[in-house]
Amino acid sequence: MIQPLRAVHRRAFVALALVLPAILLIGLGARRPRPGPKTHAPDEPDTGSMVKESSTLWQKHSIQSRFYRKPDRPLDTYFVLLSAENLNEPDLLLYWATNAPQGNVLPEDAQLVGVFATGKAFLLPLHGKGAGHLVLFSPAHQTVFDTARVEKLP
């Protein structure tokens, strides 16, 4: 009774030894290529005019900030953040707040702008207020990663 079971197991392991690597190779070949941070073109507005550009707004990290306005929507301000270094923090979220964060706590009036991505254009939610703070927040560590004071834009 043991011999027939051993023969079945031997055939099953030989079959798996041939099938599993083939499945792995097919899966690797079917993946879509992910562009790295250097190959991703910035999502800068094509028709917009640059209002301000600064690389010294952020307190802890070197992040270049560019602010744009589109001619068809002069009240809306868009901004693009270009990080010179790789930010090794999981799931950074970008917030806009009128008050500066105290310690590692987001201000109560903080509004979620979006998930941080280098080169992605975001709409700045000014709502009549000219100045405020951009806050990079890490929900995984519950800490404020970095902040930038944005003065009133021209």
Side-chain angles (χ1 to χ4, degrees), residues 41-50 68-72 78 80 119 121:
D43 188 19
E44 298 173 3
D46 295 333
T47 60
S49 60
M50 189 179 304
Y68 295 91
R69 285 206 179 107
K70 292 185 178 182
D72 58 339
Y78 295 89
V80 176

Side-chain angles (χ1 to χ4, degrees), residues 23-140:
I23 291 173
L24 178 68
L25 291 175
I26 291 170
L28 288 174
R31 287 192 319 179
R32 284 187 240 150
R34 290 180 52 182
K38 301 297 181 200
T39 61
H40 177 65
D43 188 19
E44 298 173 3
D46 295 333
T47 60
S49 60
M50 189 179 304
V51 177
K52 183 179 179 180
E53 182 176 10
S54 177
S55 59
T56 59
L57 285 179
W58 295 88
Q59 293 180 357
K60 300 175 187 173
H61 297 89
S62 175
I63 301 173
Q64 186 178 19
S65 306
R66 296 179 182 168
F67 297 89
Y68 295 91
R69 285 206 179 107
K70 292 185 178 182
D72 58 339
R73 300 188 62 137
L75 297 178
D76 290 345
T77 304
Y78 295 89
F79 66 96
V80 176
L81 302 177
L82 301 168
S83 176
E85 57 194 59
N86 190 9
L87 303 178
N88 293 325
E89 190 72 21
D91 303 327
L92 286 176
L93 298 178
L94 187 61
Y95 284 89
W96 171 259
T98 53
N99 301 321
Q102 302 296 324
N104 284 327
V105 179
L106 279 173
E108 290 181 16
D109 65 339
Q111 298 176 6
L112 178 65
V113 177
V115 177
F116 173 76
T118 297
K120 182 178 177 186
F122 297 98
L123 177 63
L124 192 63
L126 291 174
H127 303 299
K129 302 172 187 91
H133 296 271
L134 287 170
V135 180
L136 279 174
F137 184 75
S138 172

